[in-house]
Amino acid sequence: MEEDIKIKQAIDEFGYNIYDLNEYDYFLPEELIAQSPAQKRDESRLLVLNREDASLEDKHFYNIIDYLKPGDVLVRNNTKVIPARLFGIKKETNAHVEVLLLNPDKDRKDVYQALVGNARVVKKGTKIYFGDNDELIMTCLEVLQEGLRVFKLDYQGIFYEVLDKLGKMPLPPYIHKQEGQNDRYQTVYAKVEGSSAAPTAGFHFTNELFDKIKQKGIEVLDVTLHVGLGTFRPVKESNVLNHHMHSEFYHIDQDVADRLNLAKKEGRRIIPIGTTSIRTLETVIHKYGEFKADEGDTSLFIYPGFKFLASDAIITNFHLPKSTLFMLVSAFANRDEILKAYNHAVENKYHFFSFGDAMFIYGNKKD
């Protein structure tokens, strides 16, 4: 009864049931899913959506500078993807096991939560061996739901050097070929190691473009959110309120917080690059009412009805149907405008998802 009232109120306010997963669906031909990045990062295409009049413009990403104004603040996620996809063997049965490292345990050294491909063979106490000389051994400490496990890692030397030798970049399942150059699955400003997936809206920027942006009087600030299962996990619940967002670690330092607060005070636009930057900023400002130096885990789930306090415009990629990220952009603009934009992108053969093209969404939102 209470749920029915909530749904009726949502339909009255938004014109559709914001809690129904099917409301966030659209048709995407498979050939439009990008399998490799643009030859030059900033030559990918850019669809510009003005929230004031729902107008669309077809541009290239290097045109983004024309939509940025002196005094704007660009916020980027400086996380760096680690080669977290590992292929090992359970020796007693010779079973092959694929492991995707997710979150390190904050309190226990060399303990990680991971997603296991062949999870049924991995029980508490199971050991998995990686590398020709067993350079890495993982022991299962805990069995969690949905293929998740907690492992203790044993290795010699420096952990990230071991990963560089044994691991592969954890490309999304819709990309069928492992990219030869791992740096193309990183932003040019990737710095803080720890992500299991890339903040892909940043792929379109080059160092040269950032130089031009800064010369125009636009401030560029870094935050960190380590991308894990929470970002790319599919929504399986028909009622989105029943979807469980896994937490991801974020960090914002005092200098960045001070600069963001000053921009807000002076009425300058704050423009996050990508949904991970959005979630970091919105997490902190909703927590404190302003920006503060902060770090911790966020499981913030943004869908229509969410009140954005930090983000004045956003740079983002095109997201999967029925995904939490599609819901996020549907909250920032409105769902009908986003569906119109996505249909326009399909008709004009934009490329979608991680290696695909980009959107810039700006302007005051219509009531």
Side-chain angles (χ1 to χ4, degrees), residues 91-284:
K91 286 192 174 178
E92 57 263 39
T93 61
N94 211 33
H96 291 257
V97 183
E98 179 180 347
V99 175
L100 176 61
L101 293 178
L102 297 172
N103 308 318
D105 191 295
K106 295 191 294 292
D107 302 318
R108 295 179 289 179
K109 187 177 186 302
D110 293 329
V111 173
Y112 268 77
Q113 188 179 108
L115 184 65
V116 179
N118 193 10
R120 61 185 173 77
V121 305
V122 179
K123 299 175 173 57
K124 188 173 180 178
T126 296
K127 289 184 182 292
I128 307 171
Y129 298 80
F130 301 86
D132 294 337
N133 298 307
D134 300 339
E135 290 97 328
L136 174 64
I137 302 170
M138 292 189 191
T139 304
C140 181
L141 301 181
E142 297 174 50
V143 173
L144 307 177
Q145 295 179 336
E146 300 172 312
L148 293 171
R149 300 289 186 269
V150 177
F151 290 102
K152 175 72 169 70
L153 279 55
D154 292 296
Y155 54 90
Q156 296 293 319
I158 299 169
F159 177 56
Y160 287 125
E161 289 182 359
V162 174
L163 272 192
D164 281 339
K165 179 181 178 183
L166 301 178
K168 292 183 178 295
M169 280 297 181
L171 298 182
Y174 47 77
I175 296 175
H176 305 306
K177 188 177 80 171
Q178 184 81 27
E179 190 65 20
Q181 295 175 300
N182 280 347
D183 65 339
R184 289 312 306 268
Y185 197 65
Q186 301 277 19
T187 62
V188 296
Y189 48 86
K191 182 180 177 183
V192 183
E193 290 175 309
S195 270
S196 304
T200 56
F203 283 176
H204 310 284
F205 286 91
T206 63
N207 289 319
E208 294 77 17
L209 182 55
F210 275 123
D211 289 341
K212 292 177 184 176
I213 285 169
K214 291 173 184 176
Q215 287 165 13
K216 193 173 178 177
I218 294 144
E219 200 168 0
V220 179
L221 301 177
D222 286 353
V223 297
T224 304
L225 183 140
H226 290 322
V227 188
L229 195 60
T231 290
F232 56 82
R233 180 172 174 257
V235 181
K236 297 177 180 176
E237 302 285 348
S238 58
N239 182 339
V240 303
L241 291 177
N242 296 327
H243 176 69
H244 172 63
M245 287 284 284
H246 284 265
S247 62
E248 296 167 313
F249 175 82
Y250 69 90
H251 170 85
I252 176 171
D253 67 32
Q254 189 62 56
D255 180 61
V256 168
D258 291 343
R259 290 172 183 271
L260 289 169
N261 285 326
L262 182 61
K264 274 292 179 195
K265 183 180 177 182
E266 294 176 349
R268 294 184 281 125
R269 293 191 303 177
I270 294 174
I271 305 172
I273 300 171
T275 57
T276 57
S277 299
I278 295 168
R279 291 178 67 239
T280 302
L281 297 184
E282 297 295 340
T283 292
V284 173

Side-chain angles (χ1 to χ4, degrees), residues 332-351:
F332 187 75
N334 70 52
R335 190 212 49 165
D336 289 345
E337 289 175 10
I338 292 296
L339 284 172
K340 175 187 168 188
Y342 273 53
N343 289 331
H344 174 92
V346 169
E347 289 167 8
N348 289 274
K349 301 198 181 310
Y350 278 69
H351 290 132

Side-chain angles (χ1 to χ4, degrees), residues 26 200 275 316-321 323 325-326 329 342 352-353:
Y26 67 92
T200 56
T275 57
T316 186
N317 275 14
F318 292 96
H319 304 295
L320 278 74
S323 65
L325 304 184
F326 187 84
V329 294
Y342 273 53
F352 281 66
F353 307 161

Side-chain angles (χ1 to χ4, degrees), residues 46-59 67 318 333-334 336-348 350 358-362:
L46 176 69
L47 181 59
V48 180
L49 168 60
N50 186 339
R51 296 190 299 177
E52 290 185 20
D53 58 9
S55 62
L56 296 170
E57 296 179 275
D58 296 302
K59 299 289 182 178
Y67 294 88
F318 292 96
N334 70 52
D336 289 345
E337 289 175 10
I338 292 296
L339 284 172
K340 175 187 168 188
Y342 273 53
N343 289 331
H344 174 92
V346 169
E347 289 167 8
N348 289 274
Y350 278 69
M359 285 187 76
F360 180 58
I361 307 175
Y362 76 109

